[in-house]
Amino acid sequence: AENIFLSVQKWGNEYLLYLIDPGYFQVRDRKVRVLINLKGKNFEAMDFLTKEQIKVKGKEFYVQVPMGLFRIVKVRAFKELEK
């Protein structure tokens, strides 16, 4: 992630990403591109507070961080069910 303060916490088999707007002097909404650097091919992301699903394409996704605020995003890998 760029132009954002990022902290990551492992939580069981999932990860919590804390995305915080760092703009003290240039406060604005931030569109953040997050690259997933984990093993696996299939991932899901969800806003931890609102439970909103975030579309993951490959190993990346985009989220909007409101000006002066933060978002907490839960990321996890999942295996596709065998048919």
Side-chain angles (χ1 to χ4, degrees):
E2 297 176 1
N3 299 320
I4 200 82
F5 173 77
L6 170 67
S7 179
V8 179
Q9 175 185 14
K10 187 169 185 192
W11 197 42
N13 293 330
E14 303 170 335
Y15 293 84
L16 293 178
L17 282 60
Y18 299 86
L19 303 162
I20 303 169
D21 173 22
Y24 297 108
F25 301 108
Q26 297 177 348
V27 178
R28 67 177 194 269
D29 290 343
R30 310 272 178 178
K31 183 175 182 181
V32 180
R33 175 180 172 227
V34 178
L35 299 173
I36 300 170
N37 189 19
L38 297 171
K39 291 181 181 179
K41 294 181 181 179
N42 300 307
F43 298 93
E44 69 178 5
M46 177 180 70
D47 185 293
F48 189 74
L49 300 175
T50 66
K51 307 301 185 218
E52 169 194 353
Q53 292 293 324
I54 299 168
K55 183 179 178 181
V56 178
K57 191 171 186 178
K59 286 191 164 192
E60 72 176 10
F61 61 90
Y62 291 86
V63 292
Q64 190 84 10
V65 177
M67 68 173 132
L69 296 177
F70 65 93
R71 296 223 20 211
I72 302 172
V73 178
K74 181 167 66 171
V75 175
R76 73 179 183 104
F78 65 93
K79 295 181 180 180
E80 290 189 36
L81 298 174
E82 296 182 23
K83 295 181 181 180

